[in-house]
Amino acid sequence: MDRDEKPFNDRERKKKSRSKAKIAEQDQQIAALQEQVTQLANQLAAKSTNHRRHPLDPNVVKIQSVARGSMSTNKAPIVKQFRERMGRTASFATRTVLRQLPERDSSYPLADRIISMFKDPTAHMEYLNGQQFAKDLIKLNHKVKAILEREPRVAFLQSPCYIFGDIHGNLEDLHFFSDNIWRLGMSLSAGNFLFLGDYVDRGMSCLECVAYLLALKLLSPQKVFLLRGNHETRDVNGWEEHYGERSFIYQCRERFGDDLGYRIWEQTNQVFDRMPLAAVIDQDIFCVHGGIPRPIGAGETRIQDILHVPSVAGINPPYEHEGDEYQQVASDCIWSDPASEEQELSSVDPESGFGESLRGGGAICFGNKAVTNFLTSQGYSYIMRAHEAHAEGVAISKGARVFTVFSTSKDHNQGSQAMAGCILVDFEKLQVINRSPAYKNQYVHRRDSVSVQSLTDTEIRKRMRFGLVTNVSPPESDGECDEEQWQDFEDESVEDNQVDYRLSLNRRSSIDLSSTVSHDTDAVMNTSNSSLNVPDMDNIEFDAAAASTSPECAKIRSRKPRVPSIHEEMAGFNGDDMEEIQEVDNAAP
């Protein structure tokens, strides 16, 4: 090696060595700074976090399989819960502590009856057709109405959370979710449960489905959240001329007679009037039945606009106290749709991102620009909505930012391979869950199914009346009950301190224009359980001009529904009934 090259190589080695040492020192400094940041973040979180206390329930829940009734076509056992006190073998000191713990049993007799009915409807047909079910519905409506009126118009939830779309009186698909997702009951299932509306109409089991969902809300008000859909309005679920025997009002009247049936229908609609319009999960996911509302003014966010909607809102038709602006906000929440690609090019306003919906009648659609503006201004990532039928259960649009969830596979012309879907928001993961078409029916059967071949004609007719056997026109029934017990709901000796809300006779509904179109009026139902000629009202649906001028709607408006007191509703009940409703009053959350 040349004598001059050796000093040069030594200098290079020393230079590289110093560079490595300097890099190592900088890495140590960075690691130390990162550690400081972590410590400061933990300290900040510890100071800012509200610690949640977790009181111990002194009872243990025992899970047991119980055989169904002999009349049930489903032979699978029912899962039932039994409660007993803990600590029988514990030390004296531990037993003493456990005995001092308060009972936390939140069960209600009326809710327990409804849930038992839902688990095995064929074994409860006498209850479903009797006055006890009518009384339970009235008391249940009264209790849930009070819970919902205290909730904000936007529910703020945390994951994990299950999101469900339209139910539409479909007992079979609702059973699929209950049998597989909250098999042990809501109280023993982790997370929240969010339903996006449209619980009634189109299906044959509207009363059973809505009663079950309201019972879940009564039992678990902090876990179950029921948003409002466009079918939770009187103009839609009272449109008997359109839906016939599949309308909610028809099923109420057919089951309980005209007078009592109307009162139960109206009382249930008063519950619908109080349902929230939207929800936000983890401050990241906006959930609504239809879609995002148009802004109504500067200075407030769309979430604030929704929060300002009155806690009691009729929408279609409105109450007298509802302002036009907030009626529009509520209407957009329950009626709007994502714009199609064709609408994006032709009818969507490039400035606002909104346009006229294919539904017509004043309903709107929202395009890519509206979605971007809304998500950016609120800091959200996704919009979860329902309102449109999809054979795949869950559909994705607008650059994978808008999810449409549909949780019924029947009654919407989607074919025999249609699926019912839901979405699980599980911390940092979104998971779609679908009911496969291959999943066997267990509760609702066709008339020609082998599951009902052993039943007598009388038993089959009874099941047909409740939608448990389908594909044959149900027998006529007067649906009458003892009028003396129900004819007088008034009790003038009891002062009614509740607000007297009245539907407006002079103002039209928010979706009430003569230009409303219905492109599918001649569609024939393409489902396994119906041959009725009913248009698909949940895709391009609502001839509101016809609905709002129909004799049925005129009759609804002319009655000027009001909010009766529970004493008015329960007039004629015996002492045990009143004791039970008082018990529910005292225990309600």
Side-chain angles (χ1 to χ4, degrees):
M1 179 182 293
D2 195 331
R3 194 176 290 178
D4 293 335
E5 291 181 359
K6 186 175 181 181
F8 175 79
N9 290 337
D10 290 342
R11 288 195 300 271
E12 284 300 314
R13 281 195 294 271
K14 291 180 180 177
K15 186 177 180 180
K16 288 181 180 179
S17 177
R18 286 194 298 268
S19 297
K20 289 181 179 179
K22 189 173 183 179
I23 290 172
E25 182 181 355
Q26 290 176 341
D27 287 342
Q28 291 177 354
Q29 292 175 352
I30 291 172
L33 289 172
Q34 289 177 335
E35 179 65 23
Q36 290 180 19
V37 169
T38 301
Q39 292 177 358
L40 290 172
N42 291 337
Q43 292 174 12
L44 181 62
K47 292 182 179 180
S48 61
T49 300
N50 293 322
H51 293 281
R52 299 177 62 183
R53 303 186 66 84
H54 300 84
L56 175 65
D57 189 325
N59 295 293
V60 60
V61 179
K62 297 179 67 174
I63 307 299
Q64 183 174 331
S65 294
V66 178
R68 295 178 185 268
S70 58
M71 300 300 294
S72 178
T73 55
N74 184 357
K75 301 307 179 183
I78 297 175
V79 174
K80 284 201 170 184
Q81 304 176 9
F82 301 90
R83 298 169 63 88
E84 63 180 36
R85 298 287 295 198
M86 289 192 299
R88 292 183 178 180
T89 60
S91 66
F92 175 78
T94 300
R95 291 200 306 271
T96 301
V97 172
L98 291 175
R99 280 197 299 267
Q100 294 173 349
L101 293 175
E103 289 283 352
R104 298 186 179 277
D105 184 7
S106 59
S107 63
Y108 299 111
L110 72 110
D112 293 341
R113 283 193 294 270
I114 289 171
I115 290 177
S116 295
M117 170 276 296
F118 181 81
K119 288 182 176 180
D120 194 4
T122 55
H124 291 80
M125 288 187 294
E126 183 177 349
Y127 167 72
L128 287 171
N129 198 41
Q131 294 186 32
Q132 185 60 60
F133 185 42
K135 295 175 184 179
D136 286 349
L137 284 171
I138 288 177
K139 291 184 282 188
L140 180 64
N141 283 334
H142 175 74
K143 297 312 306 174
V144 177
K145 183 167 61 176
I147 294 172
L148 293 174
E149 193 165 346
R150 292 193 296 266
E151 292 183 348
R153 299 305 85 191
V154 180
F156 295 92
L157 312 179
Q158 291 183 327
S159 60
C161 181
Y162 290 93
I163 303 174
F164 303 89
D166 297 36
I167 301 297
H168 281 301
N170 185 337
L171 188 72
E172 186 66 48
D173 284 334
L174 187 55
H175 257 292
F176 164 78
F177 294 119
S178 69
D179 290 347
N180 292 281
I181 293 180
W182 60 91
R183 179 175 173 80
L184 298 182
M186 292 287 189
S187 63
L188 299 182
S189 302
N192 294 311
F193 298 84
L194 176 64
F195 296 83
L196 300 182
D198 276 13
Y199 312 112
V200 298
D201 294 331
R202 300 196 66 86
M204 293 298 292
S205 303
C206 297
L207 282 163
E208 290 77 9
C209 289
V210 77
Y212 176 66
L213 292 172
L214 294 182
L216 294 180
K217 179 65 178 177
L218 177 63
L219 292 174
S220 304
Q222 305 303 320
K223 290 175 67 70
V224 178
F225 296 88
L226 305 174
L227 301 190
R228 189 176 190 177
N230 60 306
H231 282 262
E232 281 69 65
T233 60
R234 292 171 180 81
D235 279 358
V236 180
N237 64 49
W239 196 6
E240 188 174 336
E241 289 80 5
H242 183 84
Y243 283 115
E245 66 180 358
R246 293 171 178 268
S247 71
F248 183 45
I249 193 170
Y250 176 92
Q251 292 179 23
C252 290
R253 287 173 166 169
E254 194 274 340
R255 184 78 59 88
F256 303 115
D258 282 348
D259 186 59
L260 178 58
Y262 169 82
R263 297 180 189 201
I264 289 175
W265 174 84
E266 169 57 28
Q267 279 293 312
T268 309
N269 270 288
Q270 290 179 17
V271 176
F272 295 160
D273 291 340
R274 290 154 172 80
M275 285 181 171
L277 293 168
V280 177
I281 301 174
D282 294 339
Q283 284 298 317
D284 189 53
I285 302 172
F286 177 72
C287 304
V288 69
H289 178 74
I292 53 180
R294 290 164 286 180
I296 60 174
E300 291 193 344
T301 67
R302 243 72 67 83
I303 298 298
Q304 290 172 320
D305 290 341
I306 301 172
L307 286 169
H308 288 156
V309 172
S311 59
V312 179
I315 308 176
N316 302 117
Y319 285 105
E320 293 174 347
H321 68 271
E322 292 177 61
D324 290 339
E325 285 187 337
Y326 292 110
Q327 185 193 8
Q328 173 188 300
V329 170
S331 180
D332 289 352
C333 285
I334 65 176
W335 279 102
S336 61
D337 296 296
S340 65
E341 292 184 8
E342 181 180 349
Q343 286 176 295
E344 290 274 14
L345 299 174
S346 60
S347 60
V348 170
D349 184 342
E351 295 296 325
S352 68
F354 292 95
E356 184 178 352
S357 171
L358 293 176
R359 298 174 189 268
I364 60 146
C365 65
F366 51 93
N368 271 307
K369 184 175 179 60
V371 171
T372 299
N373 290 344
F374 175 78
L375 293 177
T376 301
S377 65
Q378 297 292 157
Y380 301 156
S381 299
Y382 302 106
I383 296 170
M384 304 281 182
R385 40 96 60 181
H387 196 39
E388 288 183 291
H390 288 280
E392 60 270 30
V394 175
I396 308 175
S397 61
K398 303 304 173 195
R401 296 177 298 172
V402 176
F403 292 72
T404 297
V405 190
F406 215 69
S407 299
T408 175
S409 59
K410 304 292 189 292
D411 309 315
H412 288 82
N413 301 331
Q414 299 300 306
S416 61
Q417 296 302 301
M419 295 181 285
C422 72
I423 293 178
L424 168 61
V425 180
D426 190 11
F427 300 104
E428 296 181 355
K429 180 179 69 175
L430 299 179
Q431 179 67 61
V432 174
I433 303 171
N434 276 339
R435 175 189 174 176
S436 166
Y439 190 91
K440 184 180 178 181
N441 280 3
Q442 301 182 51
Y443 301 92
V444 179
H445 304 280
R446 289 172 57 93
R447 175 63 181 86
D448 55 1
S449 169
V450 295
S451 301
V452 299
Q453 293 305 306
S454 61
L455 301 178
T456 66
D457 289 343
T458 300
E459 291 169 340
I460 290 175
R461 284 195 296 272
K462 288 180 180 179
R463 284 163 170 75
M464 284 163 46
R465 190 180 184 204
F466 303 118
L468 301 175
V469 174
T470 62
N471 210 34
V472 176
S473 298
E476 293 185 2
S477 172
D478 57 11
E480 295 297 329
C481 60
D482 184 4
E483 288 296 327
E484 290 184 3
Q485 186 172 4
W486 301 94
Q487 64 185 359
D488 184 14
F489 275 38
E490 300 291 335
D491 186 354
E492 297 180 358
S493 63
V494 179
E495 182 180 357
D496 183 4
N497 294 322
Q498 300 186 62
V499 178
D500 188 0
Y501 295 106
R502 294 183 180 274
L503 295 177
S504 175
L505 302 181
N506 300 319
R507 292 170 55 201
R508 66 186 181 187
S509 297
S510 57
I511 306 296
D512 189 21
L513 301 179
S514 59
S515 60
T516 305
V517 294
S518 180
H519 296 283
D520 199 17
T521 54
D522 296 323
V524 176
M525 303 288 286
N526 182 23
T527 62
S528 61
N529 65 345
S530 175
S531 59
L532 287 178
N533 181 12
V534 181
D536 185 359
M537 190 171 175
D538 289 283
N539 279 330
I540 301 173
E541 57 183 52
F542 190 35
D543 189 351
S548 60
T549 58
S550 69
E552 191 59 54
C553 190
K555 188 185 301 181
I556 292 169
R557 291 174 181 249
S558 66
R559 294 194 189 208
K560 300 182 181 179
R562 56 183 293 277
V563 182
S565 68
I566 188 62
H567 304 285
E568 292 176 309
E569 295 164 6
M570 301 304 296
F573 289 174
N574 60 35
D576 292 339
D577 294 320
M578 293 307 299
E579 182 177 346
E580 181 178 331
I581 192 64
Q582 185 62 47
E583 180 180 309
V584 176
D585 267 327
N586 295 335

